[in-house]
Amino acid sequence: QEANCILRPARVELGHDGVAAPLLVCRTMPGSPPTQSGRLIAPPAPAIIGSRLLGWMTASRRDLPWRRNRSPYSVWISEVMLQQTQVATVIPYFERWMAEFPDITSLAAAPLDRVLKAWEGLGYYARARNLHLAAKSIVQRHNGQLPDQRNELLALPGIGRYTAGAILSIAYGQTEPILDGNVRRVLCRVFDIGENPRTPATESRLWDLSTELVQAASPGQAGELNEALMELGALICTPASPDCLACPIHELCLALAHGTVAERPVRSMRPGLPHYDTVAAIVANDSGELLIIRRPLTGLLGGLWGFPGGTVLPGEEFGTALARTVLEQTGISATCKQLVTQVKHAYTHFRITLHAFTAQVDRAEARPVTGDEVRWVRPSELDQFAFPVTDRKVARRLVHDITQSR
């Protein structure tokens, strides 16, 4: 006979297949999902999930700088920074950003170089460029105020459904759902979703579940509930080794009841990341100044500065690749000389090894051919420009070597 009850993990035992599975005991509680023979057979009610999470969040929330200031601007900046980036990494960037660009007007008025410099090292630089473009649009079209309407937010560069939902729920108190990596993982486990969450159909289902949760919350609590879902995914319902016994909704979790926590979310097989060799030319003039170029705004690392160079073609020698890429980018002929350093780095979809060489050039004047700008700068000035992490490491090695040689 079905009964309303909560399933509580009492201990962990090894099943017939050798896999650890929770032994579940049952105690009655009205409104809990029905069970049969010790297994949850119906999804938990959104209102119960929300109530548990809100109570847990009150006691367990982390003291984070963007939670001390609930202005729409603060929420916007923090949510964009937190995309694909861990909280510990974001905290110092957020604090420096808010000190340098305390509001939308100051961000819109800043040169792009200054914005990219403030973002340097955080990665995914399109986020910074879009923040800058969106700030300009907000000043021009919305009197410097971040819109509180979904369609107006979605019209801004870099703001998609997730970011709009976070701003509207957390800053404006509206009943709007969110779905980021943490929330996606929590929902896949709580509702034991056995399909790949990245497929359109499953993604739509997850948005529907997230919507049901915030709609079941009391008016004005959607933002707090959304933060609780993200907090749960960040601290307890983690990708590996989730702490299920500490979870405030473990008694409602279908994946825990079914022994499928480790299998949720379903993951597609990822191919290995391809690797590319790249080269960079350290070109100095008679005054000891170094040649740097700024990449076009479109494309990978758009708008950042760096040393001339590029990707080594299959079968191409490093020296040949250096001469070719320097000529393509600056119009000058370069001869590869001495290896300075090598830097390995992984991007989202590929890995590189950057080989930095000193190079001798002819007397022709450097000019931007494929880039936006070229400059000759003193080594001590390199830190004033926004560089990718690979070029920054090369620059630091150069400055270190110069300092050591004095």
Side-chain angles (χ1 to χ4, degrees), residues 36-48:
Q36 191 172 47
S37 303
R39 286 173 60 88
L40 290 167
I41 60 174
I48 299 178

Side-chain angles (χ1 to χ4, degrees), residues 45 53 61 73 96 139 174 176 187-188 231 285 314 351 356 398 402:
L53 286 176
R61 70 166 52 250
Y73 176 66
R96 289 193 297 267
V139 168
Q174 297 181 23
E176 292 285 346
L187 294 180
C188 283
E231 195 86 335
N285 62 17
R351 297 174 296 112
L398 289 172
I402 292 172

Side-chain angles (χ1 to χ4, degrees), residues 356-386:
F357 294 89
T358 58
Q360 182 178 346
V361 300
D362 60 22
R363 296 297 177 180
E365 183 177 352
R367 67 185 190 279
V369 179
T370 58
D372 280 1
E373 189 177 353
V374 300
R375 288 193 191 181
W376 293 94
V377 299
R378 295 190 297 273
S380 60
E381 296 174 327
L382 290 172
D383 198 45
Q384 299 175 17
F385 299 85

Side-chain angles (χ1 to χ4, degrees), residues 26-72:
C26 181
R27 66 180 179 82
T28 300
M29 181 172 180
S32 299
T35 67
Q36 191 172 47
S37 303
R39 286 173 60 88
L40 290 167
I41 60 174
I48 299 178
I49 296 174
S51 176
R52 295 287 187 86
L53 286 176
L54 289 171
W56 170 79
M57 187 64 171
T58 299
S60 305
R61 70 166 52 250
R62 288 175 290 179
D63 180 24
L64 300 174
W66 45 89
R67 290 179 177 165
R68 303 169 200 156
N69 176 4
R70 294 295 189 175
S71 72

